[in-house]
Amino acid sequence: MQERTALEDQLTAIGRIEQELDDQITMIELGEAEKDRKAVADAEAALHKLKAEVARRELEALLSGEADANDSYLEVHAGAGGTESQDWASMLLRMYTRWAEQHGYKIEWIEETEGEAAGIKSATVQVKGRNAFGWLRTENGVHRLVRISPFDANARRHTSFASVNIYPVVDDRINVDIKEADVRVDTMRAGGAGGQHVNKTESAVRLTHIPTNIAVVCQNDRSQHRNRAQAWQMLRARLYEEKAAAEQAAKTDIGWGHQIRSYVLQPYQMVKDLRTGVQTSNTAAVLDGDLDQFMEAALAQKAFGTAPKDVEDVE
């Protein structure tokens, strides 16, 4: 049913795009005949927006990987640097949450570890919606922030790092074999806001895959059984993505987990993707979830091997 709904949406979009293209061309012809410059300008602006949508949908059609259409887990981890990096990690989490909301995806909070003074040490959320993993996988890596620190009394410029890990929610179509003997299970009390909200039972679950040392934590539910089931699903997803990452690393010199983007707020305003060269001075919009230009360029580069400037020229 999900696949059918997605196909119907694509077919409906194609029909709508064809109709709007025809309508705007007709408007331009009428405007030129009547020498109505405003009508022509409005129609041309509508065609530019339509062209951008077509380019995005063409890229989306390339999301044909085994797990591209699936929901996605998104992890954010603060780097070394204490409060600075922890605050940056919380900013990144907000950025991705806003991006997801703007695209109609649902967010489910899995785990969050707060920082000592501000921000977060780590957090995991599940982004639910078609092609969530296909789009978000372009964000996997280390993100660097340069700014005047709000925590420095001397107002000095600081550089902070945080990593983003993306891996798919593995469904029944994807087989990931895990031996239970290879997994260590630990239970603990889930973190809480204090007072009556403190979890007094050991409902949080951590699974550690001993051969790879991959660990996952789930504490979003008060039921240990539900957290355990969610943690096993997360571990399967992590191992699936670990295997895919190893295969990719064997094919390319570009290692996984390296710095992919710089966000400079001082002494000038600039966000630059170091893989594709795409950059913008509208840092506020990016930190508020405007990430499509970076994702689209990364997908286009992988699919077509084109420079980022060619993304707009996809016909």
Side-chain angles (χ1 to χ4, degrees):
M1 288 301 296
Q2 290 178 344
E3 187 174 353
R4 176 178 176 174
T5 300
L7 289 172
E8 288 177 346
D9 174 67
Q10 292 169 16
L11 291 172
T12 300
I14 290 171
R16 177 182 56 77
I17 288 170
E18 288 178 336
Q19 184 61 52
E20 187 170 347
L21 175 62
D22 185 60
D23 290 346
Q24 298 305 331
I25 290 175
T26 301
M27 286 296 297
I28 289 175
E29 291 173 348
L30 290 173
E32 289 176 343
E34 298 178 6
K35 297 183 179 180
D36 187 343
R37 293 184 179 179
K38 186 177 185 305
V40 172
D42 290 345
E44 288 177 345
L47 284 176
H48 280 292
K49 289 180 64 177
L50 196 63
K51 183 179 179 181
E53 181 185 351
V54 170
R56 179 181 173 83
R57 285 190 173 271
E58 182 172 14
L59 288 173
E60 197 166 54
L62 298 172
L63 300 179
S64 56
E66 185 178 34
D68 280 352
N70 291 17
D71 298 344
S72 178
Y73 292 113
L74 184 150
E75 289 182 354
V76 179
H77 296 274
T83 302
E84 285 292 333
S85 293
Q86 291 165 16
D87 187 53
W88 172 223
S90 68
M91 291 169 64
L92 278 176
L93 184 61
R94 176 188 178 276
M95 180 180 76
Y96 287 114
T97 300
R98 295 300 301 272
W99 174 85
E101 291 171 347
Q102 291 164 15
H103 289 78
Y105 291 128
K106 295 181 180 178
I107 298 288
E108 179 179 325
W109 295 80
I110 304 297
E111 177 271 335
E112 180 177 316
T113 303
E114 296 182 352
E116 288 89 355
I120 57 173
K121 292 181 178 179
S122 67
T124 304
V125 298
Q126 182 176 341
V127 183
K128 297 183 176 182
R130 183 168 179 82
N131 291 329
F133 174 68
W135 286 110
L136 282 170
R137 65 188 171 94
T138 62
E139 296 298 293
N140 208 61
V142 176
H143 298 246
R144 169 177 171 261
L145 173 70
V146 179
R147 65 170 176 174
I148 298 296
S149 171
F151 306 102
D152 189 333
N154 296 316
R156 290 172 294 188
R157 193 163 68 244
H158 285 248
T159 299
S160 306
F161 294 90
S163 65
V164 174
N165 298 327
I166 307 293
Y167 49 101
V169 175
V170 177
D171 54 28
D172 295 336
R173 296 178 295 108
I174 301 173
N175 181 39
V176 180
D177 186 29
I178 306 176
K179 296 179 181 179
E180 290 194 21
D182 289 340
V183 178
R184 185 176 72 247
V185 181
D186 299 304
T187 59
M188 68 210 85
R189 292 186 181 181
Q196 63 182 0
H197 300 291
V198 170
N199 193 334
K200 294 181 171 60
T201 62
E202 294 190 345
S203 60
V205 175
R206 177 191 289 116
L207 300 182
T208 305
H209 188 246
I210 298 171
T212 61
N213 203 34
I214 291 175
V216 297
V217 178
C218 184
Q219 62 178 29
N220 66 313
D221 202 289
R222 291 185 178 274
S223 166
Q224 184 187 116
H225 296 293
R226 285 192 285 269
N227 283 336
R228 187 186 296 261
Q230 177 78 70
W232 274 101
Q233 186 183 42
M234 292 168 63
L235 183 60
R236 291 177 64 228
R238 283 290 302 274
L239 290 173
Y240 170 83
E241 184 60 16
E242 188 78 7
K243 179 182 177 182
E247 292 174 352
Q248 180 71 13
K251 299 177 184 177
T252 178
D253 293 332
I254 301 175
W256 289 72
H258 291 170
Q259 182 179 328
I260 64 168
R261 192 174 303 140
S262 288
Y263 306 71
V264 181
L265 306 184
Q266 289 288 342
Y268 53 89
Q269 302 272 314
M270 181 67 68
V271 178
K272 181 175 182 179
D273 195 290
L274 305 180
R275 303 161 300 175
T276 63
V278 171
Q279 63 184 38
T280 177
S281 59
N282 193 352
T283 56
V286 172
L287 293 174
D288 210 29
D290 185 10
L291 299 170
D292 287 354
Q293 58 186 317
F294 301 108
M295 293 181 178
E296 290 170 8
L299 283 175
Q301 187 180 66
K302 183 176 180 180
F304 305 121
T306 57
K309 62 183 179 182
D310 294 332
V311 175
E312 293 185 356
D313 297 328
V314 176
E315 295 291 339

